[in-house]
Amino acid sequence: MRSYGELCPIAKALDVVGDRWTLLIVRELLIKDAARYTDLRNGLPGIATNLLSDRLRQLEEAGVIVSEKAPPPIATTLFRLTRRGLALKPILHELGTWGVPELAGGAETDAFQTHWLAFSMGNGFVDAHPDRPPTTIAIRTGDAPLTLEVADGRVQATQGGVDDADLVVTGDHRIVVDLLLGGIDLDEAVARGLQLEGNVDALERLQPRPRG
Amino acid sequence: MRSYGELCPIAKALDVVGDRWTLLIVRELLIKDAARYTDLRNGLPGIATNLLSDRLRQLEEAGVIVSEKAPPPIATTLFRLTRRGLALKPILHELGTWGVPELAGGAETDAFQTHWLAFSMGNGFVDAHPDRPPTTIAIRTGDAPLTLEVADGRVQATQGGVDDADLVVTGDHRIVVDLLLGGIDLDEAVARGLQLEGNVDALERLQPRPRG
DNA sequence: CAGCATCCGCTTTGATACTG
DNA sequence: CAGTATCAAAGCGGATGCTG
């Protein structure tokens, strides 16, 4: 990206991460910790391979990521955020918070991957009833299962499924996203076809964190 | 901007504000409250006029800004952030926080305007000695004066000058920026030509807020 | 002068094909 | 799997012109 040429921290930050796709690459690495080239491409539907390659090079030059050759048996390169790159997390979380209302205007054909939802659920949610015992919600939608653990007043999202969830939520990803992030209520979600199995009260405990 | 086509709040946010210049326009409006087309152009050195025009239209369509015709005597259009646009402030602040280390690599020819510094000082700084009496620092650099009021444990930056500052700081904007944001110490700033007049202790009270 | 619209050369992006 | 090469289309930057 051509520099804005301004002695301003915001402009300087955008000089580094303001290019198209760049912050979405960072999002992928924040979720996946370490990722191969192909993992990144899969998580960024529509990116051109030359652009991914360019961006990774720029991010490495800027000290945001490192690429490490995995040891011989794996014969691949892994990309990982540096400490500097990890420091981008608050920016991504603020962007995600701000972007939630924009989900409403989404197209039918929008791509969806469960780990994107996991990142959003990992921030900005608290347990509305911290006094109640811990509970586990299994989300079955999209390309992979997702588990929400509600305990100690906090909500933690982890990728992968569990057998002993207190509530299993199954359905089209658009319904699930609207329910968890979009602010529709449970009745509407069920009316649109969401399937619930187990203790429905667990869902009420998910509460967007009040903004500071 | 072409949509990323992802059902992800981060991607949706970037669909709206991810274009080049867009977040810098928001920065200008966050600082200036209401601005004319020309004010914006002055605050965004290097922007092409057609791009500014395009971006303003896009932002208005997205509900981020409104343009209002000022009453007859002024015969101009004013641009202002909506509530939705004001909600972008945390993103800009996080970007600014992250961008501070990038200032070090700045070019000699980078543009500078005092209100950019004001925005940075308006966030992330606390008074290291809240027990001491209020104090006022006048910054004289760049294109306009800047006043820092340190009181009640907080630091407030306002544009404009004052007569009764406890400390007057004068010098090249690069030295001032390095001192206030870049982490060089007072001795180095003075060695590089910074001029101080008044109670120098006031500067010690400016302390970057510990990150959460 | 304020607020654009238009035109043009250049750069970036996107889609696809190809290689070690 | 992990990229590089190619090329058309879109976007950007700079200059200029037009309208109240």
Side-chain angles (χ1 to χ4, degrees):
Chain A
M1 156 167 286
R2 169 197 277 231
S3 170
Y4 286 107
E6 298 183 2
L7 194 70
C8 162
I10 295 170
K12 288 292 175 207
L14 291 173
D15 281 349
V16 177
V17 298
D19 262 321
R20 186 160 168 80
W21 293 108
T22 299
L23 281 174
L24 292 187
I25 292 172
V26 173
R27 175 197 67 186
E28 289 301 306
L29 289 172
L30 277 171
I31 307 173
K32 296 187 172 163
D33 215 64
R36 294 169 302 172
Y37 188 91
T38 310
D39 299 329
L40 292 171
R41 200 166 46 155
N42 291 339
L44 300 165
I47 195 173
T49 76
N50 57 342
L51 281 192
L52 178 54
S53 160
D54 285 353
R55 294 293 182 270
L56 289 171
R57 191 175 12 255
Q58 292 162 4
L59 285 173
E60 187 161 15
E61 278 171 17
V64 173
I65 67 171
V66 285
S67 66
E68 46 192 48
K69 313 285 174 198
I74 315 185
T76 187
T77 309
L78 286 178
F79 297 94
R80 193 185 300 271
L81 291 169
T82 61
R83 178 186 303 269
R84 180 88 179 121
L86 286 170
L88 288 164
K89 194 172 185 174
I91 299 176
L92 273 288
H93 272 150
E94 291 296 344
L95 273 170
T97 300
W98 191 86
V100 165
E102 304 291 332
L103 290 173
E108 292 281 315
T109 56
D110 278 353
F112 175 80
Q113 299 191 214
T114 309
H115 67 270
W116 303 338
L117 179 58
F119 186 75
S120 297
M121 296 305 297
N123 173 256
F125 276 80
V126 291
D127 177 5
H129 298 285
D131 48 305
R132 298 189 191 168
T135 189
T136 303
I137 306 173
I139 310 282
R140 295 185 185 161
T141 192
D143 58 326
L146 174 67
T147 303
L148 302 178
E149 290 171 280
V150 184
D152 300 325
R154 299 183 310 150
V155 177
Q156 197 157 2
T158 51
Q159 299 172 68
V162 286
D163 291 335
D164 61 340
D166 300 298
L167 172 64
V168 178
V169 178
T170 311
D172 184 88
H173 62 261
R174 274 164 295 170
I175 308 172
V176 174
V177 168
D178 283 351
L179 175 66
L180 294 178
L181 300 176
I184 70 169
D185 60 23
L186 197 51
D187 290 343
E188 183 174 346
V190 171
R192 286 171 56 192
L194 193 75
Q195 290 168 49
L196 301 165
E197 212 176 320
N199 180 10
V200 174
D201 292 347
L203 273 176
E204 289 172 14
R205 293 172 63 175
L206 302 175
Q207 181 177 271
R209 183 183 301 159
R211 306 281 315 143
Chain B
M1 157 168 282
R2 167 197 279 232
S3 170
Y4 287 107
E6 298 183 1
L7 195 70
C8 163
I10 296 171
K12 287 292 176 207
L14 291 173
D15 281 349
V16 177
V17 299
D19 261 321
R20 185 162 168 80
W21 293 110
T22 300
L23 281 173
L24 293 186
I25 293 172
V26 173
R27 174 196 67 186
E28 289 301 304
L29 290 171
L30 276 171
I31 306 174
K32 295 187 171 162
D33 215 63
R36 294 170 300 173
Y37 188 90
T38 311
D39 300 329
L40 292 171
R41 202 168 43 157
N42 292 339
L44 300 165
I47 194 173
T49 75
N50 57 342
L51 281 192
L52 178 53
S53 160
D54 286 352
R55 295 292 182 270
L56 289 171
R57 190 178 12 259
Q58 292 163 1
L59 285 172
E60 188 161 14
E61 279 170 17
V64 173
I65 68 171
V66 284
S67 66
E68 46 192 49
K69 314 285 174 197
I74 316 186
T76 187
T77 310
L78 287 177
F79 297 93
R80 194 186 299 273
L81 290 170
T82 61
R83 177 186 303 269
R84 180 90 180 119
L86 287 170
L88 288 165
K89 193 173 186 174
I91 299 175
L92 274 288
H93 273 151
E94 291 296 345
L95 273 171
T97 300
W98 191 86
V100 165
E102 303 292 331
L103 290 172
E108 292 281 314
T109 56
D110 278 353
F112 176 79
Q113 298 190 216
T114 309
H115 66 270
W116 301 338
L117 179 58
F119 186 76
S120 296
M121 296 304 297
N123 172 256
F125 277 81
V126 292
D127 178 5
H129 298 285
D131 47 307
R132 298 190 191 166
T135 189
T136 303
I137 306 173
I139 310 282
R140 294 186 185 160
T141 192
D143 58 327
L146 176 66
T147 303
L148 302 178
E149 291 171 280
V150 184
D152 300 326
R154 297 183 311 150
V155 177
Q156 197 156 2
T158 52
Q159 297 172 69
V162 286
D163 292 333
D164 61 340
D166 301 298
L167 172 65
V168 178
V169 178
T170 311
D172 183 88
H173 62 260
R174 271 164 296 169
I175 308 171
V176 174
V177 168
D178 283 351
L179 175 65
L180 294 178
L181 299 176
I184 69 170
D185 60 24
L186 197 51
D187 291 343
E188 183 174 347
V190 171
R192 285 170 57 191
L194 193 75
Q195 291 169 47
L196 301 165
E197 212 176 320
N199 180 9
V200 174
D201 291 347
L203 273 176
E204 290 173 12
R205 294 171 63 175
L206 301 175
Q207 181 178 270
R209 183 182 302 158
R211 306 281 315 144

